[in-house]
Amino acid sequence: MAAEVFSPRERLTRVLTGKKVERPPVICPGGMMNSAIVEVMTKEDHVLPDAHHSAEKMSALAADVYKYTGFENFGIPFCMTIEAEVLGSEINYGTLECEPKIQKEKFASVSQVNFRPYGIMEKNNRVGAVVQSIYNLSKKYPDVPAIGSLTGPISTAASIVDPMTFLKELRKDKVNSHKVLDYVTNHLLEFARLMADNGASAISIADPTATGEILGPKMFEEYAVPYLNRLVDGIHEMGIPAIIHICGHMDMVKSSCAKFHSNALSVDAFVSLKKIKDEYNQITTMGNLSTFMLEQADEKAIVQRTEHLVRDNINIIAPACGLSTSTPLKNLVAFTETVKNSSEKK
């Protein structure tokens, strides 16, 4: 008897809720993992930075990524700067080849943060473009998951407060550091609510500043785990699943990551997802093909490494981190097609 074949949305939802599927989904969730490479953007002239500001252009570019790369989702926004911009930081919107970045953090210290009122996310034009784009895509393509991407609490806080000062003050000014992270998390929940209410199938949270190397195990436990879990719990109350991505080596914080309430954990390329599965069988694993390999390697090497991830029963196959905009389209297609063909080999 042939295995049941699921739609991309059904397949991802089933995996994130612990149900069996015929093969793993292959996705690229947006945000830090922006898959709008130059080769895709120039095919139909739906380009960045224009698409950062327009729901129509954002929807068209997300649809192009889905059409040409083979990733089984829409992943938006295409950067990690929206939250910081809403909370006051200056943004450089980048170019076709270069993603947006924080031009200048708004505050010099956690003690100087001006707490803006709840509700400002909904009034922001870039947030509006993301939310409308999710709505448009979820209505036009109901069988394809629209994943809304958030920048995690630690990384957002380090994007509105000078990052070096912020990291020092996590130790030296814990009272104000917690106040800032509480404030940031409240606004992230508002953004998540807007995406969930407008058709997002899941929310992916990338928190690249929250690593074991940067924070150390004690501060990771004190700051990263509770605020990420509060964000995830709030997303669950909205009725949709959540994914967490953590960069860096996991050795110092692996046991803490096992405490995350998320529906899946995404990690960097040099982390063994098989070992995580063996050690913490409750974790749904996501990843973790090297983005350096996707940019630099030949298709044969990409196929072999992807087949290895499938054999290791990684639950969701995805890039390990942010893609270079110069990544060749043929390499992404080799990656996604290998996963899609894996069910035929079972």
Side-chain angles (χ1 to χ4, degrees), residues 45-223:
D45 199 32
H46 300 138
V47 299
L48 298 172
D50 295 352
H52 291 308
H53 305 274
S54 161
E56 181 181 0
K57 293 176 181 178
M58 186 178 294
S59 301
L61 180 53
D64 289 348
V65 170
Y66 172 75
K67 175 181 177 181
Y68 291 111
T69 66
F71 286 121
E72 298 179 298
N73 70 289
F74 304 116
I76 47 180
F78 301 116
C79 72
M80 300 181 72
T81 63
I82 294 177
E83 300 91 341
E85 181 175 7
V86 175
L87 299 179
S89 291
E90 296 178 18
I91 308 302
N92 178 328
Y93 296 112
T95 65
L96 182 73
E97 297 87 5
C98 183
E99 295 177 6
K101 62 182 179 181
I102 308 298
Q103 186 77 27
K104 182 176 174 56
E105 295 81 12
K106 177 67 174 177
F107 307 104
S109 166
V110 291
S111 63
Q112 297 176 16
V113 172
N114 177 29
F115 296 101
R116 297 187 171 189
Y118 188 83
I120 58 173
M121 285 286 177
E122 189 171 12
K123 299 173 184 177
N124 181 268
N125 289 336
R126 289 188 67 201
V127 170
V130 171
V131 171
Q132 185 64 48
S133 182
I134 287 174
Y135 179 84
N136 294 345
L137 292 164
S138 64
K139 293 298 182 184
K140 187 174 182 179
Y141 306 95
D143 289 336
V144 181
I147 300 177
S149 295
L150 287 176
T151 305
I154 300 287
S155 299
T156 300
S159 296
I160 66 169
V161 177
D162 175 81
M164 294 306 296
T165 302
F166 171 72
L167 292 170
K168 292 175 183 176
E169 290 180 334
L170 290 175
R171 292 185 177 89
K172 295 180 178 181
D173 190 353
K174 292 191 175 189
V175 171
N176 281 312
S177 293
H178 279 291
K179 285 181 180 178
V180 169
L181 283 164
D182 178 73
Y183 161 71
V184 163
T185 304
N186 284 338
H187 286 290
L188 294 176
L189 283 166
E190 181 191 358
F191 195 4
R193 167 64 70 182
L194 292 167
M195 292 191 283
D197 286 350
N198 283 277
S201 302
I203 302 291
S204 177
I205 307 158
D207 210 344
T209 308
T211 71
E213 292 99 322
I214 293 173
L215 297 182
K218 290 184 179 179
M219 287 207 301
F220 190 93
E221 185 78 20
E222 179 176 356
Y223 291 106

Side-chain angles (χ1 to χ4, degrees), residues 195-265:
M195 292 191 283
D197 286 350
N198 283 277
S201 302
I203 302 291
S204 177
I205 307 158
D207 210 344
T209 308
T211 71
E213 292 99 322
I214 293 173
L215 297 182
K218 290 184 179 179
M219 287 207 301
F220 190 93
E221 185 78 20
E222 179 176 356
Y223 291 106
V225 173
Y227 289 103
L228 280 166
N229 276 343
R230 184 174 149 206
L231 187 53
V232 168
D233 291 344
I235 291 167
H236 286 163
E237 290 175 6
M238 299 168 197
I240 58 174
I243 298 163
I244 289 176
H245 175 86
I246 296 294
C247 290
H249 290 280
M250 301 289 288
D251 295 343
M252 291 190 291
V253 296
K254 190 162 49 174
S255 61
S256 294
C257 287
K259 299 176 184 178
F260 286 144
H261 299 170
S262 58
N263 301 83
L265 176 64

Side-chain angles (χ1 to χ4, degrees), residues 28 30-48 52 61-62 64-71 75 78 95-99 291 294-295 319 321-334 336:
C28 195
M32 185 187 74
M33 294 187 197
N34 163 36
S35 51
I37 60 172
V38 170
E39 199 171 342
V40 168
M41 287 190 278
T42 53
K43 277 189 174 292
E44 299 189 25
D45 199 32
H46 300 138
V47 299
L48 298 172
H52 291 308
L61 180 53
D64 289 348
V65 170
Y66 172 75
K67 175 181 177 181
Y68 291 111
T69 66
F71 286 121
F78 301 116
T95 65
L96 182 73
E97 297 87 5
C98 183
E99 295 177 6
T291 51
L294 282 167
E295 181 184 13
C321 203
L323 292 168
S324 167
T325 57
S326 62
T327 301
L329 178 58
K330 65 180 182 179
N331 286 1
L332 295 185
V333 172
T336 59

Side-chain angles (χ1 to χ4, degrees), residues 310-328:
V310 173
R311 287 196 302 272
D312 283 346
N313 294 313
I314 305 310
N315 303 103
I316 302 169
I317 310 296
C321 203
L323 292 168
S324 167
T325 57
S326 62
T327 301

